[in-house]
Amino acid sequence: MPLSTQSEAGDDQYVLVASLDNAKNLSNILKAITFKDHALFNATANGLKVTVEDSKCLQANAFIQAEIFQEFTIQEDSVSFQVNLTVLLDCLTIFGGSTVPGVTTALRMCYKGYGFPLTLFLEEGGVVTVCKINTQEPEDPIDFEFCSTNVTNKVILQSDSLREAFSELDMTSEILQITMSPSQPYFRLSTFGNAGNAHYDYPKDSDMMELFQCTKTQTNRYKMSLLKPSTKALALSCKVSVRTDSRGFLSLQYLVRNDDGQICFVEYYCCPDEEVEEE
Amino acid sequence: MDCMVTGGNVKVLAKAIHSLSRIGEELYLEPQEDGLALRTVNSSRSAYACFLFAPLFFQKYASGRNPTFRCKMAVKCVQAVFRSLSSLEKTVERCHIELNVEKSRLTFTLHCKHGLLKTHNLSFQDSESLQAVFDKDSCPNILQAQPRLLVDTVLHFPPSLEEVSVSVSGERVWFRNHVEEEAERSRAMLTELCISAEEFEQFAVSAPTRITFCLKEMRGLLMFAESSGLPVSLYFDEPGRPVVLSLTDSVLEVNFVLATLSEESHPQNHDNTNTDRRAQPPPPPDDFMNDDMDFLIAMETTELAAGGSGCSPPQAQDAGMSQLRTRAASEGEEEEEDGEEEAEDTGRPPNKKFRSLFFGSVLPTSSQATNQTLRSQDVLASDSEDEDPESS
């Protein structure tokens, strides 16, 4: 790797070094959570977690495990910084879209620690670009306290079918209502727009339904504007798990396969708009 | 009303709705004994479209207990039910349309693959019947062609072209873009296509004629025609009388009735006499209140009893279909007036030239007349704001 020969002697100054042969394995997944400018990066020995939040009601996380990277070296237990995600994405895609098959942008991401900028070395076809992006004070991400033990309903669907429903959702509806139940209608997405209401029902025995574990009938409403960004993650994913807990909080987990077939995860947490107790 | 559309017909229904959306903003739905009628009219009442689906088009069709039920809703809302045409035939197995009168909801239920069920509950407004009165059979000029021929012809005109002129002689048809006299001669581009009568499946011309009508509206029909593969027929008479574009097969009848420029406002080739066209201001709304019977009735429909023609006043016919006279206009439908005002500002109001025309309600036969108030004849599609409790 051409980049690894650079400044090897100075590597110990970096608390984090992460390299990828194909920068798209990072940029594509980050695009799925870019609905706000700023993102929190948290690196541990397990890998990289990028968090974006909106109005304290929505949180999106992208997980890129250490194994995805060709090189992932971390000198501390946990390294965190906040950075402008839009700028980072612009840098990662600085060589534009590559139309030549087999040619990828290689990335080496380095961070010296608190107060230092995030340094990106990007190379494609022998051309090297160095980007330094200022970092900001990391803020603690919201803890939605969503734990598996509190989950009342869970379904896993193939993304194809949910994509279709999401693309047709009535955008004049301010809320998206999700009903999950052990009985009819099993899994239902509803909108209430100017023209009237619309319902998308997925039966539990549909071949698009990979897992159906609903214990209690629950209907929750979420702001459409908050959930709209999740369609990007849906577009990238092949499967999605939808879970609600006893408080009505929503967890959407997307399984994304990157260009090399490796698995990454994106998850969205959303607060309910108002709780509607049914039956 | 309760009906079920299956298989490829779902796409036909969806295309019909998309086609109607090119003409007007509201979709009028009327379940009749002889089928389901979907109609629309444009804001200036110069274009009307009707799709009549026979009961056989449906796997199951019940027009319902109330024979006079009619409703209207925003066409965009119905379009949203059939959003992506391309995936429709792949995913939708059947479409169930059901009316729930108590809740004032029209429910479209799409049964899709993988068990997915899409339910759309649309609200509607009660409405009057929207019927254009026209009689294709009495038109002296009839052309019929495969849709491909017409599609290929209009392809030569820019998408922005508003009006097209169609001239016929005994053996040929010319399609030409209509150019405003005000347009600068140096910048105007004229495009003309000449097609021989041999290209048509039917070519009956009584006398050389030229009519000018809105191309955009015709495109709305052609869009549907192309996918259906059914031959398109054009029925027309002299300038000023509407042209009817029609498609028929055993389970479907489509009629687009478009106004044409009338004689006095129809400019000759190099004639600069801009006569009355611009000079005629819209008739003041007050006049309409007094003119209950003064409709624009193009011709009698076959449903009308002979008594119908006696009702049309001579003035209306002289006006040659070029005046907008509807109660709706007198009530000042917002969008219509806005459209007119806007149109005047730009100085190029294609729709205004085709003032509404041929709308009137289906006039009752003498036996029915006693059961209906005079007001209910004023038809068209009145607003739901009408305080008058209509027969529906």
Side-chain angles (χ1 to χ4, degrees):
Chain A
M1 261 195 337
L3 289 180
S4 61
T5 58
Q6 287 179 17
S7 61
E8 264 173 348
D11 260 6
D12 48 356
Q13 60 186 296
Y14 294 118
V15 299
L16 171 68
V17 176
S19 299
L20 278 173
D21 284 343
N22 184 357
K24 280 207 178 129
N25 288 343
L26 179 61
S27 61
N28 280 348
I29 203 165
L30 290 182
K31 281 179 190 168
I33 58 168
T34 313
F35 50 87
K36 281 284 175 188
D37 278 342
H38 292 274
L40 173 72
F41 277 67
N42 177 255
T44 61
N46 291 332
L48 190 63
K49 174 176 162 185
V50 184
T51 305
V52 179
E53 286 173 358
D54 185 0
S55 55
K56 305 264 180 250
C57 295
L58 180 79
Q59 181 185 88
N61 297 299
F63 296 92
I64 307 107
Q65 295 143 283
E67 294 75 39
I68 310 270
F69 294 89
Q70 273 66 57
E71 179 195 350
F72 195 88
T73 316
I74 185 167
Q75 308 284 9
E76 290 168 15
D77 285 341
S78 166
V79 174
S80 292
F81 53 86
Q82 193 154 287
V83 88
N84 186 316
L85 191 55
T86 315
V87 170
L88 174 64
L89 273 174
D90 284 344
C91 294
L92 289 175
T93 55
I94 205 159
F95 288 102
S98 172
T99 49
V100 182
V103 174
T104 58
T105 306
L107 164 73
R108 190 156 190 263
M109 187 163 71
C110 310
Y111 180 59
K112 283 188 189 169
Y114 185 80
F116 288 92
L118 179 68
T119 308
L120 305 175
F121 297 91
L122 294 134
E123 183 267 334
E124 185 179 299
V127 179
V128 179
T129 304
V130 181
C131 306
K132 288 192 176 164
I133 308 171
N134 283 339
T135 57
Q136 285 119 33
E137 191 80 39
E139 284 171 10
D140 284 334
I142 303 169
D143 181 359
F144 279 71
E145 292 174 2
F146 195 99
C147 57
S148 326
T149 48
N150 229 358
V151 170
T152 46
N153 293 318
K154 173 177 177 173
V155 305
I156 297 184
L157 281 163
Q158 285 191 22
S159 300
D160 280 337
S161 58
L162 207 56
R163 254 198 290 275
E164 194 190 321
F166 265 77
S167 68
E168 292 182 8
L169 286 179
D170 182 1
M171 286 299 129
T172 64
S173 171
E174 279 184 12
I175 57 117
L176 175 65
Q177 179 172 289
I178 301 183
T179 304
M180 292 170 80
S181 169
S183 54
Q184 291 268 15
Y186 303 117
F187 182 73
R188 167 180 279 192
L189 301 174
S190 307
T191 54
F192 304 87
N194 295 340
N197 54 53
H199 305 290
Y200 288 80
D201 296 345
Y202 293 82
K204 68 174 181 182
D205 52 357
S206 163
D207 47 354
M208 296 303 251
M209 185 76 75
E210 291 206 359
L211 180 86
F212 186 87
Q213 279 172 5
C214 291
T215 59
K216 187 178 128 171
T217 301
Q218 262 190 319
T219 300
N220 291 296
R221 296 177 161 208
Y222 306 93
K223 280 203 161 50
M224 186 72 89
S225 54
L226 289 178
L227 288 183
K228 199 71 183 91
S230 69
T231 48
K232 279 194 221 164
L234 187 59
L236 279 181
S237 66
C238 44
K239 276 190 225 188
V240 55
S241 111
V242 182
R243 300 179 301 165
T244 50
D245 70 4
S246 53
R247 303 165 300 167
F249 277 63
L250 177 70
S251 153
L252 298 166
Q253 290 175 319
Y254 303 90
L255 192 151
V256 177
R257 273 189 201 280
N258 67 14
D259 285 354
D260 298 319
Q262 295 161 309
I263 292 179
C264 300
F265 289 96
V266 174
E267 71 185 0
Y268 273 74
Y269 289 109
C270 190
C271 298
D273 197 39
E274 56 186 76
E275 271 184 33
V276 177
E277 290 293 328
E278 213 169 293
E279 281 163 84
Chain B
M1 181 195 83
D2 192 332
C3 57
M4 178 89 77
V5 185
T6 55
N9 280 352
V10 178
K11 188 167 180 183
V12 174
L13 180 66
K15 284 220 128 187
I17 290 164
H18 283 268
S19 196
L20 286 166
S21 73
R22 300 285 202 96
I23 303 287
E25 290 184 357
E26 287 183 317
L27 179 70
Y28 291 78
L29 193 130
E30 193 171 334
Q32 300 163 181
E33 281 299 318
D34 58 347
L36 179 65
L38 298 179
R39 303 187 174 102
T40 192
V41 67
N42 71 356
S43 54
S44 57
R45 299 287 199 271
S46 60
Y48 158 95
C50 173
F51 283 78
L52 180 63
F53 297 94
L56 282 178
F57 174 84
F58 304 90
Q59 190 187 62
K60 175 180 85 165
Y61 180 77
S63 58
R65 278 165 292 159
N66 182 357
T68 57
F69 174 76
R70 304 169 199 112
C71 66
K72 66 175 180 179
M73 60 202 89
V75 73
K76 281 198 168 17
C77 298
V78 191
Q79 258 186 306
V81 177
F82 302 98
R83 197 161 295 205
S84 56
L85 286 173
S86 52
S87 65
L88 262 180
E89 48 188 353
K90 282 178 253 163
T91 53
V92 181
E93 288 165 3
R94 58 186 195 279
C95 170
H96 184 207
I97 308 175
E98 193 180 348
L99 172 68
N100 185 331
V101 180
E102 294 84 47
K103 293 187 191 168
S104 279
R105 290 274 198 242
L106 186 64
T107 303
F108 286 81
T109 309
L110 298 174
H111 297 255
C112 306
K113 284 208 299 215
H114 308 296
L116 173 58
L117 199 71
K118 297 182 193 176
T119 310
H120 292 258
N121 294 308
L122 304 180
S123 49
F124 58 79
Q125 296 170 314
D126 288 330
S127 80
E128 267 299 325
S129 178
L130 179 73
Q131 296 249 27
V133 180
F134 59 94
D135 183 9
K136 294 186 288 200
D137 299 327
S138 70
C139 285
N141 303 308
I142 308 173
L143 304 178
Q144 186 182 70
Q146 282 297 317
R148 190 77 244 159
L149 177 72
L150 295 170
V151 169
D152 287 347
T153 303
V154 304
L155 213 55
H156 291 87
F157 299 108
S160 56
L161 179 65
E162 296 275 355
E163 294 123 20
V164 68
S165 290
V166 176
S167 313
V168 288
S169 72
E171 297 155 17
R172 288 192 187 84
V173 176
W174 287 265
F175 284 81
R176 177 198 232 213
N177 60 320
H178 178 71
V179 179
E180 295 286 313
E181 290 125 31
E182 292 79 27
E184 280 188 30
R185 292 280 156 194
S186 57
R187 289 205 208 146
M189 179 166 85
L190 281 175
T191 304
E192 187 175 82
L193 285 94
C194 179
I195 307 176
S196 150
E198 289 163 3
E199 307 270 351
F200 289 81
E201 292 181 356
Q202 188 186 0
F203 196 93
V205 171
S206 69
T209 322
R210 183 167 78 171
I211 53 167
T212 301
F213 54 90
C214 185
L215 179 60
K216 280 189 175 156
E217 285 148 5
M218 179 174 170
R219 283 196 163 119
L221 175 87
L222 290 180
M223 194 183 85
F224 179 85
E226 207 182 0
S227 63
S228 72
L230 295 170
V232 178
S233 303
L234 276 89
Y235 297 84
F236 54 102
D237 197 340
E238 56 193 19
R241 293 180 98 76
V243 56
V244 182
L245 302 167
S246 181
L247 286 173
T248 337
D249 79 359
S250 55
V251 291
L252 169 65
E253 187 182 328
V254 186
N255 287 304
F256 273 52
V257 188
L258 310 178
T260 62
L261 275 183
S262 65
E263 201 80 81
E264 57 266 7
S265 51
H266 195 131
Q268 296 310 304
N269 263 337
H270 299 288
D271 195 337
N272 282 328
T273 55
N274 185 10
T275 61
D276 307 324
R277 186 168 47 165
R278 295 280 183 267
Q280 271 175 8
D286 291 343
D287 280 355
F288 303 158
M289 300 306 274
N290 305 325
D291 273 341
D292 283 349
M293 297 296 284
D294 201 3
F295 305 120
L296 280 235
I297 300 182
M299 283 165 261
E300 302 165 276
T301 62
T302 49
E303 298 151 58
L304 279 180
S309 59
C311 296
S312 51
Q315 304 98 298
Q317 289 179 344
D318 285 349
M321 261 44 105
S322 58
Q323 301 242 2
L324 173 62
R325 309 254 208 159
T326 67
R327 294 208 78 247
S330 70
E331 285 158 2
E333 269 191 23
E334 296 288 308
E335 60 273 18
E336 202 163 280
E337 285 194 347
D338 285 349
E340 289 180 1
E341 278 155 21
E342 251 171 56
E344 277 190 324
D345 288 344
T346 60
R348 198 177 185 281
N351 282 342
K352 274 191 66 156
K353 288 184 294 200
F354 306 116
R355 314 278 264 137
S356 171
L357 358 167
F358 45 82
F359 278 97
S361 65
V362 176
L363 288 182
T365 57
S366 46
S367 61
Q368 292 170 358
T370 50
N371 296 332
Q372 287 185 351
T373 62
L374 201 61
R375 199 192 147 105
S376 72
Q377 289 173 14
D378 289 345
V379 174
L380 320 182
S382 59
D383 295 81
S384 57
E385 293 100 73
D386 267 347
E387 308 93 17
D388 196 69
E390 291 297 358
S391 49
S392 63

